[in-house]
Amino acid sequence: MAFAKKEDELSYIAQYQKDNYDRITVMAPKGKKDELRKAAEFKNMKLSAFILDCVEKELERMKK
């Protein structure tokens, strides 16, 4: 989808994210982000996808 104005494009993206995603903020000690990012890269994943995958696996483990 092409937009004539950059502001319109950013507004569309922001609204799409608001409608389709929950925002979860995670605080970690300094240096932990680099460690997590390297682990995500090792699995060819983005950092947020890696963290979500870890959380989902833990939830499945807890159900057992």
Side-chain angles (χ1 to χ4, degrees):
M1 186 179 293
F3 291 90
K5 296 181 184 175
K6 188 69 171 176
E7 299 86 30
D8 292 341
E9 180 179 2
L10 294 175
S11 177
Y12 172 81
I13 291 169
Q15 188 61 47
Y16 179 86
Q17 290 175 341
K18 185 177 180 181
D19 292 343
N20 294 285
Y21 295 96
D22 288 327
R23 181 168 296 278
I24 301 170
T25 303
V26 177
M27 303 286 284
K30 284 275 189 192
K32 198 68 168 175
K33 183 177 179 180
D34 287 336
E35 181 182 347
L36 294 171
R37 181 172 284 134
K38 287 176 185 175
E41 288 174 1
F42 179 76
K43 294 187 79 176
N44 295 317
M45 300 172 83
K46 299 275 186 175
L47 180 57
S48 59
F50 176 74
I51 292 170
L52 187 56
D53 184 57
C54 291
V55 170
E56 288 174 350
K57 285 178 181 174
E58 179 63 15
L59 289 172
E60 282 300 313
R61 188 191 69 77
M62 290 172 67
K63 288 178 184 177
K64 295 179 180 178

